[in-house]
């Protein structure tokens, strides 16, 4: 991935999960499971254009720690209007340098 991403949704048949290779970051060659939040996956279901995706996430924000060198540790919150803040962990992240495996595509939100 070209940037750190909050994993929002993946291709069918499993829109809540994807597999990534983290070897460029941690040297481990096994693929790792990453999970999308159920709310974001359902919210973005059927959104096919960037405009539709943007309108569904409008007024939302991600509160998270500053960038660091810990690839297996992350805490943050996804705040969307009208719902309780969702706690985020390293399982919800797709880190810069990871490679997507066994999943056709993912939707992600760049964390900067």
């Amino acid at each position: 991935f070209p940037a750190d991403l909050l994993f929002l949704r993946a291709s069918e048949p499993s829109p809540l999960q994807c597999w990534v290779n983290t070897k460029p970051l941690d040297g481990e060659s096994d693929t790792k499971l990453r999970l999308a939040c159920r709310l974001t996956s359902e919210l973005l279901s059927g959104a096919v254009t960037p405009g539709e995706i943007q309108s569904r996430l409008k007024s939302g924000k991600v509160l998270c720690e500053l960038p660091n060198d810990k690839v297996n540790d992350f805490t943050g919150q996804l705040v969307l209007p009208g719902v309780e803040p969702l706690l985020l962990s390293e399982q919800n992240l797709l880190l810069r340098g990871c490679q997507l495996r066994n999943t056709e595509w993912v939707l992600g939100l760049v964390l900067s």
Side-chain angles (χ1 to χ4, degrees):
F1 300 103
D4 293 339
L5 303 173
L6 173 60
F7 175 34
L8 300 174
R9 190 171 200 288
S11 57
E12 299 291 341
S14 302
L16 293 175
Q17 66 183 31
C18 74
W19 295 90
V20 295
N21 178 344
T22 60
K23 188 173 183 175
L25 298 178
D26 60 15
E28 295 182 18
S29 59
D30 58 327
T31 55
K32 295 176 180 66
L33 178 66
R34 293 295 182 250
L35 303 171
C37 299
R38 182 172 299 281
L39 176 66
T40 61
S41 180
E42 291 171 357
L43 186 65
L44 297 175
S45 178
V48 293
T49 67
E52 289 174 325
I53 294 167
Q54 184 179 7
S55 70
R56 294 180 189 194
L57 295 175
K58 191 175 182 179
S59 301
K61 61 184 173 181
V62 177
L63 306 174
C64 61
E65 59 194 14
L66 294 174
N68 57 57
D69 60 354
K70 299 175 186 172
V71 297
N72 293 316
D73 186 30
F74 175 81
T75 55
Q77 289 184 337
L78 175 62
V79 181
L80 296 170
V83 296
E84 289 289 320
L86 300 171
L87 295 179
L88 304 172
S89 73
E90 66 278 355
Q91 288 292 312
N92 308 118
L93 287 186
L94 304 173
L95 295 175
R96 182 174 55 95
C98 290
Q99 301 164 332
L100 189 62
R101 297 284 187 244
N102 304 323
T103 306
E104 187 178 346
W105 54 264
V106 295
L107 290 175
L109 179 67
V110 174
L111 300 174
S112 61

